[in-house]
């Protein structure tokens, strides 16, 4: 029974969510799951070399990503929270 409860909580990552236009600009048309969004945001970061060269945990947003998470350098941990504000 406990396993069933946990499975329900984990399904939040599998449930498609709607994306803001700014986020769609980075990851493509929604709806998509949170896991897909996270993966596509990282694809964008890597494709555009947005990780700080000295500290890989820090992200230097380009214009597209900056519209979602702000223009300032941000840690990958804070970025997740900023991105989730664009999902509903």
């Amino acid at each position: 029974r406990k396993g069933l409860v946990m499975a329900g909580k984990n399904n939040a990552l599998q449930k498609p969510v709607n994306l803001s236009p700014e986020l769609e600009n980075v990851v493509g048309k929604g709806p998509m799951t949170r896991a897909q969004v996270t993966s596509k945001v990282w694809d964008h970061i890597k494709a555009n070399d947005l990780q700080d060269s000295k500290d890989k945990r820090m992200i230097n947003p380009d214009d597209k990503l900056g519209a979602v998470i702000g223009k300032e350098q941000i840690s990958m941990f804070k970025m997740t929270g900023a991105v989730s504000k664009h999902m509903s």
Side-chain angles (χ1 to χ4, degrees), residues 48-79:
N48 295 283
D49 202 24
L50 303 181
Q51 278 179 285
D52 190 86
S53 57
K54 292 183 187 74
D55 184 351
K56 296 287 187 196
R57 293 170 302 181
M58 299 304 290
I59 308 302
N60 299 310
D62 60 5
D63 288 342
K64 272 187 180 180
L65 191 57
V68 176
I69 64 173
K71 303 282 186 222
E72 301 297 312
Q73 187 183 62
I74 190 170
S75 79
M76 61 171 63
F77 309 108
K78 287 189 177 156
M79 180 187 71

Side-chain angles (χ1 to χ4, degrees), residues 18-74:
N18 293 315
L19 312 180
S20 72
E22 295 83 6
L23 184 54
E24 284 186 335
N25 213 9
V26 177
V27 300
K29 266 290 195 209
M32 62 181 74
T33 67
R34 289 176 180 272
Q36 287 172 309
V37 169
T38 301
S39 175
K40 287 177 184 276
V41 166
W42 275 102
D43 289 347
H44 179 81
I45 289 167
K46 291 189 168 105
N48 295 283
D49 202 24
L50 303 181
Q51 278 179 285
D52 190 86
S53 57
K54 292 183 187 74
D55 184 351
K56 296 287 187 196
R57 293 170 302 181
M58 299 304 290
I59 308 302
N60 299 310
D62 60 5
D63 288 342
K64 272 187 180 180
L65 191 57
V68 176
I69 64 173
K71 303 282 186 222
E72 301 297 312
Q73 187 183 62
I74 190 170

